[in-house]
Amino acid sequence: MRGVIMHAPGDVRVEDREDPTVIEPTDAVIRLTATCICGSDLWPYRGVEPVDHTLMGHEYVGVVEEIGSAVQTLQVGDFVVGSFVVSDNTCEICRAGFQSKCVHAEFVAGTIGTQAQKARIPHADGTLVATPGQPDPELIPSLLAASDVLGTGWFAAVAAEAGPGKTVAVVGDGAVGLMAVLAAKELGAERIIAMSRHPQRQELARFYGATDVVEERGEEGVAKIKELTGGLGAHSVVEAVGTQESFMQAVGATRGGGHLGYVGVNYDVQIPGIELFFAGIHTLGGPAPVRRFLPELVQLIWDRRIDPGKVFDLTLPLEEAAEGYRAMDERRATKVLLTL
Amino acid sequence: MRGVIMHAPGDVRVEDREDPTVIEPTDAVIRLTATCICGSDLWPYRGVEPVDHTLMGHEYVGVVEEIGSAVQTLQVGDFVVGSFVVSDNTCEICRAGFQSKCVHAEFVAGTIGTQAQKARIPHADGTLVATPGQPDPELIPSLLAASDVLGTGWFAAVAAEAGPGKTVAVVGDGAVGLMAVLAAKELGAERIIAMSRHPQRQELARFYGATDVVEERGEEGVAKIKELTGGLGAHSVVEAVGTQESFMQAVGATRGGGHLGYVGVNYDVQIPGIELFFAGIHTLGGPAPVRRFLPELVQLIWDRRIDPGKVFDLTLPLEEAAEGYRAMDERRATKVLLTL
């Protein structure tokens, strides 16, 4: 089969890779219908994270082609959406809703690599969710978004306790930030402030439910959020950038006793303990337990109540993956869908 | 009146200070019955925080001597316990339970200084709580503990979501850590692991409800907590030390999706964002909103259901405050009560 391998920073190639097969009885092999490039794939691309002939890709939708003898909830031919972290969905941590910290957790990125024609998914019952039937082609982008960016933005909004009566500020206008806006809206937030200085993304944020846009950043951004919230700060803040400045902007924008949900942090961020302490806020972050939300998100998409697929603004065939990486690196695209 | 002034690091003197009077209509002036020295008073004492002729003390119980015209819930002669942070207890932040971040928040330490015969307490209705009557002398230490160490340990246990079915690990065997053990027990925790290598404090931790004691620290301490929790980590962890090592020990001891409550962080702590991210945990910390818990804590003490006063292991008259600071600095005492 064909699949993406990143040989070194900036060096993305589509090459022949061995076809995956069922190894463990809990495995499934899927034939991908679509996959995509994640903002986090740019970290190794830019040399911020190590990379050496790495199998790329961790977002995926597709059709089950083969299942192991222990797989119970899936059948060959099912259309499935999967999480970017493998989980058994039965252990104590999974049952508490933190599937990304499952005792069998394994990142799909790097070892499995779903920017490919096929993928072997371990713990298939606990990682994949079947759609109610074969989806219309127009639903594919949205279902694919559920695999990571939607699931991650949704988790961030839940972690920030977005809900009725709440003012939610979203730091970051990338795909995850936009999905957090969508989630905050669905969760019933009263006011949603998108922090963005990019006209097209501001427009998409408003489409997804943002009621206000703040262009200022850093301390000025914090001051603006306070001005909009009677001096108190937002009840709920989502951090979806992951730099030192954006993280501290998110901390500063959260009111005392408020909730900060953060879903991306790069390796250089150092949080001054004393600033977090005197902020007096709740935080919850980490790789999103997408599997917790997948059944609900799939249904919302199936019922056409949400349209997360609009975050994809460039579609390319898998064979042109290298151009997809370039487009995202150069910010010509927010998120690139790869067809198969 | 007489009161403690720290002229410089290590230089504690009891001197004549001006008698406080009601200034604002929401003020009360109280005559103190007892006060004490806090672990945090050692930071300036040791030169870790700046100090220059600072009025010391922020824990206090006493009798109301004078009230402003707007004070409604208190009368002259009432016995009161107060929080170490002034709060109006009516603003939006207070109503959400975060009185230490009140829009009128003011730290009692430094500007008011309750290591003294009298103190002016702003926003008296929102800061002080009257006891049901004049307390027996034996209840004074426990009521005084409610003012900070008990209230802070309680908040930490609540922040860590200690409760039925939960395993709670407490990092730190100082007065606040011991109070967190007491709180975890009262909140119904199933298992309480005190991290301590000090025999007398281990004994007190067991008295307050610890079911296990772990002497290891750092990575070894984390490994021990995992060993005791089926490899998962504790559901709830309290951080009550505030150093880099202890904070990261607390992060490491918390299971994925678990809750970390932290109530003391020194100025040098830098939290590696990526470690917090991959831990996948809830955190809540900061100066404790003691006022939220005071009515309940006063009643528990009044009914003799809890005995937090045992954390005081040295009692001295106010005039001997300097010796009290020395005893705590040299770790000859856990916590010093000053009589008036």
Side-chain angles (χ1 to χ4, degrees):
Chain A
M1 70 165 187
R2 301 287 286 169
V4 173
I5 297 174
M6 193 183 291
H7 284 240
D11 183 4
V12 169
R13 305 186 201 173
V14 182
E15 298 182 346
D16 286 329
R17 280 166 42 185
E18 202 174 344
D19 273 14
T21 56
V22 163
I23 299 171
E24 301 291 333
T26 47
D27 288 351
V29 169
I30 63 170
R31 173 174 288 278
L32 279 90
T33 304
T35 183
C36 52
I37 304 172
C38 183
S40 67
D41 292 335
L42 295 181
W43 297 356
Y45 189 82
R46 291 171 176 165
V48 178
E49 267 183 28
V51 62
D52 180 14
H53 296 80
T54 305
L55 308 184
M56 300 302 294
H58 56 266
E59 298 156 285
Y60 55 102
V61 292
V63 176
V64 176
E65 202 171 69
E66 187 188 353
I67 56 173
S69 59
V71 172
Q72 299 188 323
T73 62
L74 302 169
Q75 296 186 314
V76 171
D78 280 352
F79 190 91
V80 292
V81 186
S83 165
F84 69 96
V85 186
V86 167
S87 57
D88 62 27
N89 209 29
T90 58
C91 77
E92 201 174 325
I93 303 294
C94 283
R95 281 182 280 130
F98 287 85
Q99 287 86 343
S100 44
K101 293 289 288 181
C102 171
V103 299
H104 292 115
E106 182 185 335
F107 285 91
V108 169
T111 53
I112 296 170
T114 57
Q115 288 166 7
Q117 291 179 304
K118 295 185 184 185
R120 177 182 77 90
I121 306 296
H123 294 282
D125 284 326
T127 306
L128 303 171
V129 170
T131 55
Q134 297 300 316
D136 290 338
E138 76 205 48
L139 288 184
I140 300 291
S142 288
L143 291 167
L144 179 61
S147 184
D148 181 355
V149 280
L150 172 61
T152 294
W154 194 276
F155 168 63
V158 168
E161 301 220 338
K166 298 283 187 76
T167 293
V168 181
V170 177
V171 180
D173 61 3
V176 171
L178 292 167
M179 294 295 91
V181 169
L182 175 158
K185 168 85 173 169
E186 279 299 308
L187 292 164
E190 185 174 302
R191 191 174 190 187
I192 302 167
I193 306 168
M195 303 193 85
S196 168
R197 47 179 63 173
H198 186 296
Q200 280 164 294
R201 297 182 184 192
Q202 289 176 1
E203 195 182 322
L204 203 46
R206 288 194 189 276
F207 169 80
Y208 281 129
T211 55
D212 301 80
V213 169
V214 165
E215 297 204 343
E216 290 83 349
R217 287 185 186 167
E219 286 182 20
E220 286 179 11
V222 169
K224 193 74 190 174
I225 296 292
K226 293 220 165 146
E227 188 188 316
L228 291 170
T229 54
L232 302 180
H235 300 92
S236 304
V237 177
V238 166
E239 205 294 313
V241 180
T243 64
Q244 183 76 25
E245 185 192 30
S246 66
F247 194 92
M248 296 317 295
Q249 178 180 324
V251 169
T254 313
R255 66 174 57 191
H259 291 78
L260 167 61
Y262 59 98
V263 285
V265 163
N266 74 35
Y267 281 78
D268 298 330
V269 173
Q270 293 286 337
I271 307 161
I274 204 77
E275 285 189 46
L276 194 63
F277 180 75
F278 282 110
I281 61 174
H282 300 79
T283 76
L284 173 59
V290 170
R291 183 60 174 80
R292 188 204 315 178
F293 306 108
L294 269 184
E296 179 184 1
L297 298 179
V298 164
Q299 197 61 52
L300 285 169
I301 293 163
W302 202 259
D303 297 340
R304 291 171 164 77
R305 281 192 44 201
I306 57 175
D307 188 9
K310 282 179 94 81
V311 290
F312 294 104
D313 51 2
L314 179 61
T315 297
L316 295 170
L318 178 71
E319 290 295 331
E320 291 174 32
E323 164 56 16
Y325 276 80
R326 274 194 299 274
M328 278 180 64
D329 181 45
E330 294 163 10
R331 297 180 73 86
R332 285 183 280 118
T334 304
K335 193 155 179 75
V336 177
L337 186 146
L338 300 173
T339 55
L340 289 134
Chain B
M1 68 164 187
R2 302 288 285 170
V4 173
I5 296 174
M6 193 183 291
H7 285 240
D11 183 3
V12 170
R13 304 186 203 174
V14 183
E15 298 182 345
D16 286 329
R17 281 166 41 185
E18 203 173 341
D19 273 15
T21 55
V22 163
I23 299 170
E24 301 292 332
T26 47
D27 289 351
V29 169
I30 63 170
R31 172 173 290 277
L32 279 91
T33 304
T35 182
C36 52
I37 304 171
C38 183
S40 67
D41 292 336
L42 296 181
W43 296 355
Y45 189 81
R46 292 171 175 165
V48 178
E49 269 185 26
V51 61
D52 180 12
H53 295 81
T54 304
L55 308 183
M56 300 301 295
H58 56 266
E59 299 156 284
Y60 55 101
V61 292
V63 176
V64 176
E65 202 173 68
E66 188 188 353
I67 55 173
S69 59
V71 174
Q72 299 189 322
T73 63
L74 303 168
Q75 295 185 316
V76 170
D78 280 351
F79 191 91
V80 291
V81 186
S83 165
F84 70 95
V85 186
V86 167
S87 57
D88 62 26
N89 209 28
T90 57
C91 76
E92 202 174 324
I93 303 294
C94 282
R95 280 182 280 128
F98 287 85
Q99 287 86 345
S100 45
K101 292 291 288 182
C102 171
V103 299
H104 291 114
E106 181 185 333
F107 284 92
V108 169
T111 54
I112 296 170
T114 56
Q115 289 166 4
Q117 290 179 304
K118 294 185 183 184
R120 177 182 77 88
I121 306 297
H123 294 281
D125 284 326
T127 306
L128 303 172
V129 170
T131 55
Q134 296 300 315
D136 289 338
E138 75 204 50
L139 288 184
I140 301 292
S142 287
L143 291 167
L144 178 61
S147 184
D148 181 355
V149 279
L150 173 61
T152 295
W154 196 275
F155 168 63
V158 169
E161 300 221 337
K166 298 283 188 75
T167 293
V168 182
V170 177
V171 180
D173 60 4
V176 171
L178 292 167
M179 295 295 91
V181 169
L182 176 157
K185 167 83 173 171
E186 279 298 310
L187 293 163
E190 185 174 300
R191 191 175 190 186
I192 303 167
I193 306 168
M195 304 193 84
S196 168
R197 47 178 63 171
H198 186 295
Q200 281 165 294
R201 296 181 185 193
Q202 289 177 0
E203 195 182 324
L204 204 46
R206 289 196 188 273
F207 168 80
Y208 281 130
T211 54
D212 301 79
V213 169
V214 165
E215 297 204 342
E216 290 83 351
R217 288 187 187 167
E219 287 182 20
E220 287 179 10
V222 169
K224 191 75 190 175
I225 296 292
K226 294 221 165 144
E227 187 187 316
L228 289 170
T229 54
L232 302 179
H235 300 92
S236 304
V237 177
V238 166
E239 205 295 312
V241 180
T243 64
Q244 184 75 27
E245 185 192 32
S246 65
F247 194 91
M248 296 318 295
Q249 178 179 323
V251 169
T254 313
R255 68 174 56 193
H259 290 78
L260 168 60
Y262 59 99
V263 285
V265 163
N266 74 35
Y267 281 77
D268 298 330
V269 173
Q270 292 286 336
I271 307 162
I274 203 77
E275 285 190 46
L276 195 63
F277 180 75
F278 281 109
I281 62 174
H282 301 80
T283 77
L284 172 59
V290 170
R291 184 60 174 80
R292 187 205 315 180
F293 306 108
L294 270 184
E296 179 185 1
L297 298 179
V298 165
Q299 197 61 51
L300 285 170
I301 293 164
W302 202 260
D303 297 340
R304 290 172 163 76
R305 280 192 45 202
I306 57 174
D307 188 10
K310 283 178 95 80
V311 289
F312 294 105
D313 51 1
L314 180 61
T315 298
L316 294 170
L318 178 70
E319 290 295 331
E320 292 174 31
E323 164 55 16
Y325 276 79
R326 274 194 299 273
M328 278 179 64
D329 181 45
E330 295 163 8
R331 297 180 73 85
R332 284 183 281 120
T334 304
K335 192 155 180 75
V336 177
L337 184 146
L338 299 172
T339 56
L340 289 136

